[in-house]
Amino acid sequence: MDISAPNSVIEFLSTRSSTPISAIGLPTPSDDEIQTMIRIASRVPDHGRLTPWRFILYRGDARVEVGRYLADLAEEREGPLTEQRRDQELKRFARAPLVIGVVFSPVEHHIPEWEQFLSSGAAAMKLSLAANALGYATNWISNWYASDEKGRALLGLAPHERVTGFVHIGTCAQKVPERPRPEIKDILSEYSGPWIG
């Protein structure tokens, strides 16, 4: 195969990047585009066909409601918040016009939970790529509430579920500067036998 030949898929994958959430605005994907994105995101390696992940849409007024929940929870955890700190939490899910939560929902099975978690991570990455392929900007984050039991419940997760990530989606009118990427020589090696320390 001639990898120097023009290939739009390779070029797309080679230039994919995250967009700062502050630069993500309207418009957002349509309902049909969201269906397409979820369909693509669900086409990932899934040992045992367990589907150990699901998706939650946070959009419209729900983003504001989540912000109020998070601000109250932050105050419960930290004590009285400054106006700036409270405002930070109130806007947490309202910074981008659409947030899709990727939820790790493990299944009781002989297949290890860590394998199932990897599948949910692949789903989050495919979701981001699908949105990018449709021309939208994305940023995949977690944050403090992902590690908080009450925070997860407020966000709609069941007690056994965990956050894989929150993918913020919308449109970015500006070009995002490229950030440094690792050198291939630093991350690739030939197998040379068992690890000896």
Side-chain angles (χ1 to χ4, degrees):
M1 175 184 287
D2 180 8
I3 62 171
S4 65
N7 185 319
S8 59
V9 175
I10 293 297
E11 175 65 17
F12 166 70
L13 293 173
S14 298
T15 56
R16 186 225 68 86
S17 63
S18 297
T19 300
I21 296 175
S22 60
I24 298 176
L26 293 167
T28 61
S30 67
D31 285 348
D32 284 345
E33 288 174 319
I34 290 172
Q35 292 286 320
T36 296
M37 288 158 42
I38 298 301
R39 188 164 41 253
I40 291 169
S42 67
R43 292 183 67 94
V44 293
D46 176 13
H47 191 184
R49 298 186 294 277
L50 303 177
T51 315
W53 25 257
R54 65 185 184 93
F55 306 90
I56 301 175
L57 296 178
Y58 304 92
R59 55 184 174 173
D61 290 342
R63 298 170 307 134
V64 177
E65 183 178 11
V66 165
R68 288 195 294 266
Y69 289 149
L70 294 179
D72 290 346
L73 180 59
E75 193 157 60
E76 181 183 314
R77 288 165 44 109
E78 302 171 25
L81 301 178
T82 64
E83 185 176 336
Q84 181 180 9
R85 178 76 183 85
R86 184 168 182 81
D87 190 57
Q88 179 185 32
E89 296 304 334
L90 287 171
K91 293 178 178 175
R92 189 70 77 176
F93 272 59
R95 294 175 294 167
L98 171 65
V99 179
I100 301 182
V102 185
V103 178
F104 172 46
S105 190
V107 177
E108 192 70 39
H109 201 273
H110 72 270
I111 292 170
E113 193 171 289
W114 67 266
E115 278 195 41
Q116 298 181 44
F117 185 62
L118 290 175
S119 182
S120 73
M125 188 70 244
K126 284 286 291 289
L127 174 65
S128 298
L129 289 171
N132 296 153
L134 288 169
Y136 296 101
T138 59
N139 194 305
W140 169 10
I141 66 167
S142 53
N143 225 306
W144 66 266
Y145 36 83
S147 301
D148 185 277
E149 185 177 354
K150 287 186 179 178
R152 291 192 298 269
L154 290 171
L155 290 162
L157 278 71
H160 74 287
E161 295 179 321
R162 294 294 178 268
V163 172
T164 304
F166 298 103
V167 181
H168 295 243
I169 303 171
T171 300
C172 179
Q174 63 207 58
K175 182 170 175 52
V176 177
E178 182 61 35
R179 68 170 177 81
R181 303 289 174 173
E183 295 288 338
I184 301 301
K185 65 179 177 58
D186 295 331
I187 58 174
L188 177 67
S189 63
E190 297 279 356
Y191 177 71
S192 59
W195 175 259
I196 55 175

